[in-house]
Each structure stands twice: as structure tokens, then as C-alpha cells.
Amino acid sequence: MNNETTQKRTNYIEWEEYFMATAFLAAQRSKDPHYQVGACVVNEDKKIVGIGYNGMPLGCPDDDFPWGKSAEASEVLETKSLYVCHAEMNAIVNKNAADVRGCTIYVGLFPCNECAKIIIQSGIKNVVYLSDEKAHKPNYIASKRMFNAAGVLYRQFKPKRDKIVIDFTQDNWEESPAKLRIS
């Protein structure tokens, strides 16, 4: 009896799920105790050209800078806000292509005003985000205002599934070829 499969697999993830999942995987590198955000920049050919997550700048040791997020104005130097590079910035500056003009950036959290400026200046034309939980804050209202003025399109990603799980524990590749559990 021949058990050879002759049809393509049908439960594969779609492009947008793949790119958003890549952003979420990148976020797992963040050492930020409050928000772990990742970003994935994709060109028109569906090629990833940049990945980033929020963290301290190169050469600034994670243990030497603060990770707190709120303080009195006189103590702002002891918060992360003046030091951390956001995921969007890192994805753009860590690009592996000459240019990100015309690209799409996938990010877990809607970009703040500082990231919006970088996105606009870099020539990225589309922003796909999962959460807009800070939409009521001035920084995020300003982002939308700038995106609208600059013609950068943005939209919320609506996942078709609740989770994608990567399982490194499987031993037999032939009997169990899909190492990704999709639910």
C-alpha cells in the first residue's frame, strides 16, 4: 500500500499570518518587562527585508539602563522612554536591502509618533498592526494624523486563527512533517 501524498498541504499559513508571526517571534527577543514588540518589513515581492524588536541601542548594555516606564518628570532619566529603540526603528535600520521604499511593515502594536516619522521618512507605504490599544493617547493620534497626511496606509490585522505554535520537540520529520501546530 502506497501512502505517498500527491496533493499539496492545505493548512499552511497565509502570507500575512507569516509576516505577523515573524514580528511576534522577533518580539520574543525583547528584554522589556512591559511590552515586547516586534516588526517585520516586507517588500512587494513578499520578501522580508528587515526585522526588529524593542531594545537598547547597540553598545548600551541592557543591564546598565533602566527598564521602568513611569516616573516623575524629574526622574525621566530613570525610565526606558529616553533610551529604548522601538521595533519599527530597528526593523528599518537593520534592513538587509538597499531601500525599504514601498514596503509594508507588520508590527504587533500600532506605531507611536516617533516610529511613524521614521516609517514615513523611510518610504514605507503600508502599516499592518495587530493591536491599537493605545489609540486614545496623543502619540498615537499624531501617528494616524501623519500617516494620513503622508499617504501611508494602515490597517489592523485580523487573524483567522488564535495561535501558531512552533514545536521543536518532534523527532521524526518523515512521519510528522509539519512542525508547526496551527489552531
Side-chain angles (χ1 to χ4, degrees):
M1 181 174 182
N2 186 353
N3 288 336
E4 184 179 339
T5 302
T6 59
Q7 301 295 314
K8 73 177 182 180
R9 192 167 65 90
T10 58
N11 66 337
Y12 56 88
I13 61 176
E14 295 177 6
W15 283 115
E16 290 219 316
E17 293 172 310
Y18 174 65
F19 299 134
M20 189 60 77
T22 300
F24 269 68
L25 184 60
Q28 295 306 303
R29 286 284 310 140
S30 175
K31 296 174 181 102
D32 191 319
H34 305 286
Y35 282 97
Q36 298 81 47
V37 181
C40 178
V41 180
V42 179
N43 70 17
E44 293 169 340
D45 294 326
K46 295 185 173 27
K47 304 285 189 259
I48 294 173
V49 297
I51 297 174
Y53 57 88
N54 57 319
M56 294 297 167
L58 290 175
C60 297
D62 297 325
D63 294 331
D64 294 351
F65 288 85
W67 287 102
K69 69 177 191 171
S70 60
E72 298 296 319
S74 62
E75 299 172 0
V76 73
L77 286 172
E78 298 309 314
T79 68
K80 67 179 181 172
S81 64
L82 296 179
Y83 308 105
V84 168
C85 295
H86 288 186
E88 300 91 331
M89 174 196 294
N90 279 328
I92 292 166
V93 301
N94 294 337
K95 68 187 184 299
N96 61 11
D99 203 353
V100 294
R101 242 170 241 301
C103 287
T104 298
I105 189 166
Y106 291 82
V107 62
L109 188 61
F110 190 85
C112 71
N113 64 307
E114 293 300 320
C115 290
K117 292 182 230 179
I118 294 167
I119 289 167
I120 292 165
Q121 290 296 89
S122 73
I124 289 174
K125 287 300 180 192
N126 298 289
V127 176
V128 180
Y129 61 93
L130 184 69
S131 173
D132 200 9
E133 69 181 57
K134 297 183 178 191
H136 63 284
K137 294 188 174 191
N139 302 34
Y140 300 87
I141 294 168
S143 295
K144 289 178 181 167
R145 193 172 178 185
M146 287 187 285
F147 284 155
N148 290 338
V152 174
L153 303 176
Y154 54 91
R155 65 181 169 79
Q156 191 166 25
F157 175 70
K158 301 288 187 188
K160 293 182 180 175
R161 53 188 105 238
D162 292 336
K163 58 182 154 182
I164 297 172
V165 178
I166 299 171
D167 183 357
F168 290 122
T169 62
Q170 299 190 14
D171 294 328
N172 190 335
W173 285 80
E174 190 156 333
E175 286 180 22
S176 186
K179 302 298 177 232
L180 186 65
R181 187 175 79 234
I182 300 172
S183 46

